[in-house]
Amino acid sequence: MLSTDRRAPQNGVQHSGLEPLYREVLRRNAGDTEFHQAVREVLDTLGPVFERRPELREARIIERLCEPERQLIFRVPWVDDAGRVHINRGFRVEFNSALGPYKGGLRFHPSVNIGIVKFLGFEQIFKNALTGLNIGGGKGGSDFDPKNRSDTEVMRFCQSFMTELYRHLGEHTDVPAGDIGVGAREIGYLFGQYKRITNRYEWGVLTGKGVGWGGAQGRTEATGYGCVLFTEEMLRARGEGLDGQRVAISGSGNVAIYAAEKAQQLGATVVTCSDSSGYVVDEKGLDVELLKQVKEVERARIFEYAERRESARFVADGSVWAVACDVALPCATQNELTEEDAVSLVRNGVKAVAEGANMPTTPEGVQVFRDGGVAFGPGKAANAGGVATSALEMQQNASRDSWSFSHTEKRLAEIMRRIHDSCHETAERYGQPGDYVTGANIAGFELVAEAMLAQGVI
Ligand code: GLU
């Protein structure tokens, strides 16, 4: 039995008539546990939609949604600085194009496999729908580990990766961007190789580009900023705000750094961040400039931060979620926040949790937050600001325009507010007020399902 089966909300998949479909997903995708988890989480909330809309059942929308339109797996050979040959595996899952071209990041991390890419691609369908910006869902990556690799090794890897992937991309077809292990440096190398092979300066084929050559101001900050803006909206709906709150953040990549920056701009004190070596507690509030220096410039480990800052201490063992806080923002990776962590956060009085990463909370953890009355923003909604700003980058590219940072930030704030309101209203419409998981899943699903119905059986 899957660990995800332990969760049994009253309106879960087993009460909705969707259980046979879920069993079929398990059978067809044996071993892809993260994908099972992501599908399960969505199906658990869709029962009431199917009760109201039997035609969706007849059109087999769920069966089609759970089967990617196209899955690409390819060999990525490359040569390291010492002349040794390496073989990695590349992936791109083009999941659903009902609302627009496939859109979603590339992840370079040793844990990447087809199941991980499918889970991320599946989530991306609903997240992208929620942005309201007409983008389909896809995801890709490789089990390549960029850690301790030189710039030239990363460049050669990216060139080899793109030498296969380019034929599947295009501004109206599939538009990748970054994710874990893929930032501005990698997007630069990927874009260069795409241009070289195709002989086309096609801005819209990748997002997250450098600001001087077609990138959007504010894209780097967007996921973290958006997550905090979403949190602020959730708190506002409860008559509070971020000002004066104590915030715990996990991770120290792009999402975590800019979540910390925005939270502190809004008056919160961010007391933690982490990486795979441990976590830092800084009671005075994170020095975001120092964090950027350590992680973005030096690409060093997080204990370096603690070594250079008097108010900070480094903790090598245990969970960052043991630190008491009012607001928790998991911004590291999938399933990093467990049931035990959730219990300890609730015991310590957490009021709001928003997922900056994709599916960082286990299903059991989510259930603890729901039972504990915590405002819980699932990643599909809370971290949609990154991909939304990618869509804004595509708009700028299409019109050969470039907007100011403040203009993009204003658009981002409007988008996050809209996403919040649509999740909030949808949850109310389905009799689950304050349940952002139900709201996000149903609101995203309705948009995709409508487009799929209209476009026929394809
Ligand atoms: N990887 C990011 C996400 O999880 C961004 C994707 C994009 O900008 O296309 O949404």
Side-chain angles (χ1 to χ4, degrees), residues 106-118:
L106 298 171
R107 176 177 292 192
F108 292 169
H109 191 270
S111 65
V112 169
N113 57 42
I114 191 66
I116 297 274
V117 180
K118 274 195 268 182

Side-chain angles (χ1 to χ4, degrees), residues 318-335:
S319 168
V320 66
W321 307 119
V323 178
C325 61
D326 304 308
V327 172
L329 305 177
C331 298
T333 195
Q334 65 270 2
N335 291 329

Side-chain angles (χ1 to χ4, degrees), residues 180-199:
I180 294 172
V182 178
R185 173 181 64 169
E186 291 73 18
I187 294 294
Y189 296 145
L190 292 164
F191 186 79
Q193 185 72 353
Y194 181 87
K195 181 172 61 122
R196 179 194 202 187
I197 296 174
T198 60
N199 195 29

Side-chain angles (χ1 to χ4, degrees), residues 230 233 237 414-427 436:
F230 190 90
E233 294 296 328
E414 286 161 10
I415 292 165
M416 295 316 295
R417 191 169 316 127
R418 209 171 56 215
I419 295 175
H420 171 273
D421 293 351
S422 114
C423 297
H424 200 264
E425 282 157 19
T426 306
Y436 292 95

Side-chain angles (χ1 to χ4, degrees), residues 140-292:
S142 173
D143 57 0
F144 171 71
D145 188 358
K147 208 186 281 169
N148 302 324
R149 289 291 172 198
S150 68
D151 282 354
T152 50
E153 289 175 324
V154 171
M155 180 182 76
R156 284 195 294 277
F157 175 81
C158 288
Q159 290 176 340
S160 181
F161 185 87
M162 187 52 95
T163 301
E164 171 57 35
L165 191 63
Y166 86 94
R167 69 189 83 242
H168 306 288
L169 307 183
E171 62 177 317
H172 301 298
T173 309
D174 186 354
V175 184
D179 195 83
I180 294 172
V182 178
R185 173 181 64 169
E186 291 73 18
I187 294 294
Y189 296 145
L190 292 164
F191 186 79
Q193 185 72 353
Y194 181 87
K195 181 172 61 122
R196 179 194 202 187
I197 296 174
T198 60
N199 195 29
R200 284 168 67 85
Y201 206 115
E202 204 181 323
W203 285 281
V205 78
L206 284 167
T207 59
K209 300 181 292 294
V211 170
W213 45 278
Q217 305 233 38
R219 174 62 189 89
T220 311
E221 294 83 354
T223 314
Y225 276 24
C227 179
V228 169
L229 295 170
F230 190 90
T231 309
E232 176 86 334
E233 294 296 328
M234 289 200 300
L235 288 168
R236 239 185 242 160
R238 295 179 163 212
E240 287 196 65
L242 266 164
D243 192 21
Q245 308 278 8
R246 186 179 154 92
V247 178
I249 293 182
S250 63
S252 51
N254 164 267
V255 182
I257 291 173
Y258 293 96
E261 183 167 280
K262 179 51 76 184
Q264 300 204 143
Q265 279 171 14
L266 295 177
T269 305
V270 179
V271 291
T272 66
C273 64
S274 67
D275 69 11
S276 54
S277 68
Y279 67 92
V280 154
V281 185
D282 188 341
E283 289 295 341
K284 279 207 168 142
L286 291 179
D287 176 344
V288 176
E289 289 315 309
L290 177 59
L291 186 59
K292 286 183 192 172

Side-chain angles (χ1 to χ4, degrees), residues 444-458:
F445 172 76
E446 285 182 332
L447 292 164
V448 181
E450 225 55 76
M452 287 176 74
L453 271 184
Q455 291 170 21
V457 180
I458 51 169

